[in-house]
Amino acid sequence: MSDNTFTRAELFELLSASYSPQQIIAGLEQLAASDPTVDPNAEEFPVEISDRLERLFNLAQATLDKSKLLGGSGNLANIQTGAMDMATEQLQLVGVSRETFKAFLDIVAGKTVAQALAVHEFEQELFDEITSELDARSLQRRTEQGFDEIAFIYQLAKNPEIRQQITQEYGLKT
């Protein structure tokens, strides 16, 4: 990195702790849509572009988090509207339009949705695994009880006194 630029790799490294390469590319494309000086396919980016991209991602994440804390439940459109209202002043400082910021909210919200989906899938797999294990234990317990009952019946049947008593009580002939 020179004093005034980030290489593409450095930019991705800088943002990769919080965002996927696809999100970073989508962010660059959104900046390019509103600023013709931004080339999303460039190999070097001015520090100002890198800073702007990072600030937009952070602002989008912070406003989404804040809107959720303030009870912004429901669909993404309601959360976005609330987040946009909260971020209007900061958007002017960053110098981006509401449409560009809405796109960043979509990008960041996509990360949140993906994380929620991953957590849900993990919970489902864990639940399935536990259920399967409990089913296996239950089946094993029932099988052991069945063997115990069969062994008990066999012992009774081998005992001549009990066999005699059963045949007399039930009128069975030997």
Side-chain angles (χ1 to χ4, degrees):
M1 172 181 91
S2 73
D3 291 338
N4 297 332
T5 61
F6 273 104
T7 66
R8 187 173 189 82
E10 290 169 335
L11 177 68
F12 277 69
E13 185 179 326
L14 173 73
L15 298 172
S16 68
S18 301
Y19 303 100
S20 71
Q22 294 82 3
Q23 289 174 306
I24 297 168
I25 291 169
L28 285 169
E29 289 172 351
Q30 286 305 316
L31 280 180
S34 63
D35 183 351
T37 64
V38 176
D39 177 8
N41 300 315
E43 289 302 315
E44 286 191 344
F45 299 94
V47 171
E48 297 80 30
I49 298 297
S50 303
D51 289 345
R52 204 163 146 204
L53 185 63
E54 187 174 21
R55 279 194 313 253
L56 278 168
F57 274 130
N58 291 338
L59 180 60
Q61 184 67 57
T63 52
L64 279 174
D65 292 345
K66 193 176 196 180
S67 68
K68 288 178 204 171
L69 288 174
L70 294 175
S73 61
N75 65 24
L76 183 58
N78 291 341
I79 292 173
Q80 285 177 334
T81 302
M84 300 273 282
D85 292 341
M86 286 188 281
T88 299
E89 183 180 323
Q90 292 182 7
L91 288 176
Q92 291 171 349
L93 293 174
V94 177
V96 297
S97 68
R98 290 174 66 91
E99 292 76 27
T100 300
F101 185 63
K102 182 182 178 299
F104 271 84
L105 288 171
D106 288 339
I107 294 167
V108 172
K111 172 188 162 201
T112 304
V113 169
Q115 287 172 336
L117 181 61
V119 167
H120 173 72
E121 288 175 357
F122 173 75
E123 288 172 341
Q124 189 62 46
E125 287 176 16
L126 185 61
F127 177 77
D128 292 345
E129 187 178 314
I130 290 170
T131 303
S132 174
E133 188 175 317
L134 290 175
D135 288 345
R137 286 183 190 169
S138 175
L139 181 61
Q140 182 180 4
R141 202 174 313 117
R142 287 182 188 162
T143 303
E144 289 171 357
Q145 288 172 346
F147 285 144
D148 291 345
E149 289 172 2
I150 291 170
F152 180 70
I153 292 170
Y154 185 71
Q155 284 179 340
L156 290 177
K158 287 189 80 171
N159 185 331
E161 295 169 1
I162 292 176
R163 211 171 40 220
Q164 179 71 29
Q165 184 181 356
I166 291 172
T167 54
Q168 286 175 355
E169 284 184 25
Y170 292 100
L172 301 174
K173 296 181 183 179
T174 56

